[in-house]
Amino acid sequence: MQFEVWAPLTGRVALRLDDVTYDMARDPDRDGWWTAQAPAGDGSRYGFLLDGDEDGATVPRPDPRGRRLPDGPDGLSAVVDFDALTPRSAPSPRIPLQDAVLYELHVGTFTPEGTFDAAAARLGHLAALGVTHVELMPVCPFSGRHGWGYDGVAPWAVHEPYGGPAGLARFTEAAHAAGLGVVLDVVHNHLGPSGNHLPAFGPYFTDTHHTPWGAAVNLDAPGSDEVRAYLIGSALAWLRDYGIDGLRLDAVHALADGRALTFLEELSAAVDALAAETGRPLFLIAESDRCDPRTTTPRAAGGPGLQAQWNDDFHHALHCALTGESQAYYADFAEAPLAALAKTLTRVFFHDGTWSSFRGRTHGRPVDHRRTPAHRFVGYSQTHDQIGNRALGDRLSASLSPGLLACAAAVALTGPFVPMLFMGEEWGARTPWQYFTDHPDPELAEAVRSGRRREFAAHGWKAEEIPDPQDPATRDRSCLDWSEPEQPVHARLLDWYRTLVALRRTHPDLRDPDLAAVRVAHDEERRWLTFRRGDVRVAVNLSAEPVTIALGRGGVRVLASWEPLGHPGPDGRIHLPGESAVVLGH
C-alpha cells in the first residue's frame, strides 16, 4: 500500500505501521512530499515520525489525511477500506436546492445514544415530516466524546464516538434509502485547540492574518497551494467517498484569503467538476455575516459560485417580531420588527448598506432582487448558533406560546427562501440546546468554562446561572426527548409543520424563486403581517388580540390554519384569532 504525507519542514520522515518502522523517501515530483510502500489493510494502525519533533518525540503523529482516528486526535490513524463499507445501493434523491427543506441535526444530541446508528433509526420521523435533506453538524474528530464539533482537528476523518467512517457510511445509505439527501457542515476557517498536529507537518497556519482563534489557516501565504489542496481534497472526499450531497461551509467571512483566485472559487469549481463527473447534483451553502450577495454570485459573473448562503437577517427580524428582544445584534431589528421582517422577505438583507449599531458602522450590500433567485438564501427561525449561543441555550419554545411557534413556522416554511429547521423545532421541543464541551485538558476546560461565564457576566448573568460546558449534565440536558412528539401539545405543532412542508411541496408558488414577485403588508402596531407568493397568501397575527385583515380580493380559500377558520368572504377579509397563522390559496 502507498503511504504519503506532505511534510516540507522536516529532513526525515518515517512511517510507523503496526509497530514496524519504514523510512520514507522524498517524492521527486512533488516538493515536500514523502512516500513509502508497506503492507497494510483495513484497520491497520499507522502514524508518522518527524525528525523535527520537539524533545526527540518517538510517538508517531496521526496522518493529516487519515480517514480514521480510533483512539482520538492524539492516537494513531487507521487505514479505511472504503470498498468494505456499506455499499451504496440507494441512490441520492437528486432534489434541487430550490425544492429543498433542510433539517439541521447534531448527531451527538439528536438521540441520547449520540451515534450515527441511533440517528439513522429516527430517519422515518424526518421522512414523515417531509424534509428533503438532513444537514449534519460537523463530524470531524475533536478532543473528548461530546462537543458541538466546530473544534475538529482532522478534516479528513470522522469522530469515532459517533461511529467513525463506517457509521457515517451507514447513516448516509439509510438517509438515501429514506429519500433524504445529506448535507455536511465543514469548518475550514480554523481548527480546534486540542489534538491539532498539523503545525508539525507544514505551514498549515500563518501569522500573516490574525483571527479569534489565533493564527489563520494558511490560504494565501507561502505553502498555501498545498493547504488549499488539503482542504479541497477533504471536501471532495465527503462528497465522493460517502455519497454526501452537499456541504455547509462554516463562517466563510472568517477565511483570511487575499489571493486573486480565492479558496472558495477553487472549492466550488472542484465540486462542480465532481458533480459533472458523477452525474450527481452537488451544492455548497455558506454561512457568512457579511450580508453580501456576491457570496453566491456564479463564478462566470465574478463570484465564488456557491449555491446558497444562510440569511441571519431574516432570522433576526423574525426573532425580534416574535420575542420583542432587543439586545446586541437584535437592536436594529427591534425598532420596527415587522417592517424589518417585511424588508427581508422582499429584499433578503435588512443590512444592505444600512447602519448597524452592533457593529458601529454601515453594513451589507443590496441584493438585486429582480435577478437573484430566492433559493440563493436559506431562511430559518432557529439554528444551533441562535439557540446554543444564548446563555441558557433556550429555544423559542421556552418562552413562546404554541400559536407563536406556529406563526414562526408559517413564515419560515412558506417564505421565499430555502427553509431550514433545527432538530426538535418541529414539535416545539422543551429541551434546551446548550454549549457543551468535553476537553480532557483541565487548563483548556477551565479556560472555556470561565470564558463563557465572563462573556455572559457582561450582560448581567451570574456565573452560577451559566451551565458548565464541561459538566456531562449540560450535554445530557441538550438531548432531544423523543417522548415529547407523542404528547398532545407537541403532536399538534408537529402536525402543523408536516402540513406546511406538504404545502410547500404541492404548491409551486411556494417554491417560486422570483423575489420581485413577493408582496408584503404589515401593521406594526396591531402586530400582523401578510405576504403573497403567486396565488398563495400567508397571514400571521403575533398579537394576543384577534385582527381583521383585508386580503384585497376574494376567491381564496383556507389551505391550512393554526386555529379553525372559515374561508374569507366576498370582501376578501379574514378574521384571524390572536397568535395564529393561516395559509390561503385557490
Side-chain angles (χ1 to χ4, degrees):
M1 177 176 175
Q2 173 90 352
F3 289 87
E4 56 183 23
V5 64
W6 182 60
L9 304 182
T10 184
R12 177 178 177 271
V13 182
L15 166 70
R16 179 72 61 81
L17 172 66
D18 293 334
D19 295 327
V20 178
T21 301
Y22 302 82
D23 284 333
M24 302 187 76
R26 293 183 184 274
D27 188 326
D29 300 320
R30 296 183 297 168
D31 186 42
W33 281 86
W34 301 76
T35 65
Q37 288 282 342
D42 186 54
S44 294
R45 304 291 186 94
Y46 72 100
F48 300 111
L49 292 164
L50 311 177
D51 71 356
D53 281 347
E54 296 179 2
D55 304 322
T58 58
V59 177
R61 297 179 182 273
D63 182 357
R65 284 175 166 78
R67 310 306 297 274
R68 186 182 173 205
L69 291 169
D71 302 312
D74 290 317
L76 291 173
S77 299
V79 174
V80 177
D81 180 0
F82 280 92
D83 291 334
L85 297 183
T86 301
R88 283 190 224 156
S89 58
S92 298
R94 299 174 183 269
I95 298 168
L97 196 55
Q98 178 176 334
D99 297 335
V101 177
L102 308 175
Y103 186 95
E104 190 183 24
L105 182 159
H106 178 260
V107 174
T109 50
F110 187 59
T111 66
E113 298 87 348
T115 65
F116 291 120
D117 289 341
R122 295 288 182 180
L123 289 174
H125 166 83
L126 302 185
L129 176 60
V131 299
T132 63
H133 292 76
V134 181
E135 184 173 308
L136 298 177
M137 289 174 61
V139 300
C140 292
F142 52 87
S143 292
R145 176 177 179 82
H146 298 299
W148 281 18
Y150 291 94
D151 51 1
V153 294
W156 288 66
V158 182
H159 194 49
E160 197 70 16
Y162 289 170
L168 177 58
R170 289 192 299 270
F171 178 87
T172 304
E173 173 66 12
H176 288 168
L180 300 168
V182 179
V183 181
L184 179 63
D185 195 337
V186 296
V187 184
H188 294 145
N189 56 75
H190 75 287
L191 281 86
S194 179
N196 182 2
H197 293 270
L198 291 181
F201 285 91
Y204 283 90
F205 300 89
T206 175
D207 290 326
T208 303
H209 308 283
H210 297 283
T211 76
W213 307 281
V217 173
N218 181 13
L219 299 177
D220 59 4
S224 57
D225 284 359
E226 288 289 357
V227 177
R228 287 177 174 228
Y230 173 78
L231 296 174
I232 291 171
S234 71
L236 297 180
W238 299 116
L239 302 169
R240 180 188 61 244
D241 298 338
Y242 293 99
I244 302 292
D245 302 287
L247 301 176
R248 183 260 191 188
L249 310 179
D250 182 62
V252 299
H253 57 268
L255 295 172
D257 181 7
R259 290 171 60 164
L261 177 61
T262 67
F263 168 74
L264 289 178
E265 290 176 80
E266 275 198 272
L267 175 61
S268 69
V271 170
D272 286 350
L274 181 62
E277 175 189 332
T278 61
R280 297 170 52 220
L282 305 172
F283 54 82
L284 298 172
I285 300 174
E287 178 200 21
S288 173
D289 78 346
R290 288 201 181 106
C291 291
D292 186 354
R294 290 176 296 189
T295 301
T296 55
T297 298
R299 292 192 307 280
L306 310 183
Q307 281 74 22
Q309 61 178 305
W310 281 23
N311 186 1
D312 272 353
D313 275 19
F314 169 76
H315 166 273
H316 298 345
L318 179 57
H319 185 91
C320 289
L322 292 166
T323 68
E325 292 184 10
S326 59
Q327 73 276 17
Y329 48 70
Y330 290 136
D332 296 326
F333 300 85
E335 291 184 7
L338 289 175
L341 182 56
K343 181 177 179 179
T344 62
L345 285 168
T346 54
R347 296 297 191 270
V348 183
F349 296 139
F350 176 79
H351 287 304
D352 54 4
T354 61
W355 174 258
S356 167
S357 61
F358 177 69
R359 296 173 177 86
R361 58 172 174 80
T362 55
H363 183 65
R365 184 184 182 96
V367 172
D368 184 345
H369 70 289
R370 297 191 180 280
R371 296 184 179 182
T372 307
H375 57 256
R376 294 285 186 211
F377 308 95
V378 178
Y380 36 82
S381 65
Q382 300 181 76
T383 71
H384 77 274
D385 267 332
Q386 302 301 336
I387 299 171
N389 285 327
R390 296 171 67 85
L392 302 181
D394 50 315
R395 298 168 178 264
L396 287 177
S397 53
S399 57
L400 298 185
S401 68
L404 287 178
L405 295 178
C407 291
V411 176
L413 284 168
T414 64
F417 313 123
V418 175
M420 184 181 74
L421 314 180
F422 180 67
M423 62 177 196
E425 168 193 334
E426 69 272 22
W427 71 74
R430 297 294 172 85
T431 50
W433 202 75
Q434 300 176 332
Y435 181 68
F436 52 89
T437 56
D438 186 26
H439 297 302
D441 181 347
E443 291 187 7
L444 178 58
E446 179 54 35
V448 170
R449 180 187 295 114
S450 59
R452 189 159 178 87
R453 288 173 173 171
R454 186 167 53 250
E455 174 189 356
F456 286 103
H459 300 287
W461 292 88
K462 297 179 180 178
E464 61 271 19
E465 295 175 322
I466 306 303
D468 179 359
Q470 286 287 122
D471 185 347
T474 304
R475 177 265 171 184
D476 293 345
R477 280 192 299 271
S478 301
C479 293
L480 289 178
D481 178 356
W482 283 93
S483 70
E484 285 185 339
E486 301 173 0
Q487 301 169 17
V489 65
H490 296 291
R492 182 187 178 197
L493 187 62
L494 176 58
D495 183 64
W496 175 246
Y497 269 80
R498 287 172 175 161
T499 298
L500 293 173
V501 173
L503 284 175
R504 189 174 189 90
R505 183 176 60 249
T506 56
H507 284 71
D509 284 341
L510 294 180
R511 304 190 306 279
D512 183 357
D514 186 359
L515 283 165
V518 180
R519 297 289 182 268
V520 184
H522 68 280
D523 187 318
E524 201 77 58
E525 182 178 351
R526 299 175 69 199
R527 287 180 47 76
W528 61 258
L529 178 142
T530 182
F531 58 90
R532 177 181 172 185
R533 303 192 61 207
D535 289 331
V536 177
R537 301 176 183 207
V538 181
V540 295
N541 178 12
L542 306 184
S543 165
E545 301 300 320
V547 296
T548 299
I549 303 174
L551 298 177
R553 63 170 183 166
V556 294
R557 61 185 180 87
V558 173
L559 301 177
S561 62
W562 177 247
E563 300 287 355
L565 284 179
H567 301 306
D571 61 357
R573 295 176 178 269
I574 191 163
H575 306 285
L576 195 56
E579 299 183 349
S580 65
V582 62
V583 182
L584 307 106
H586 292 288

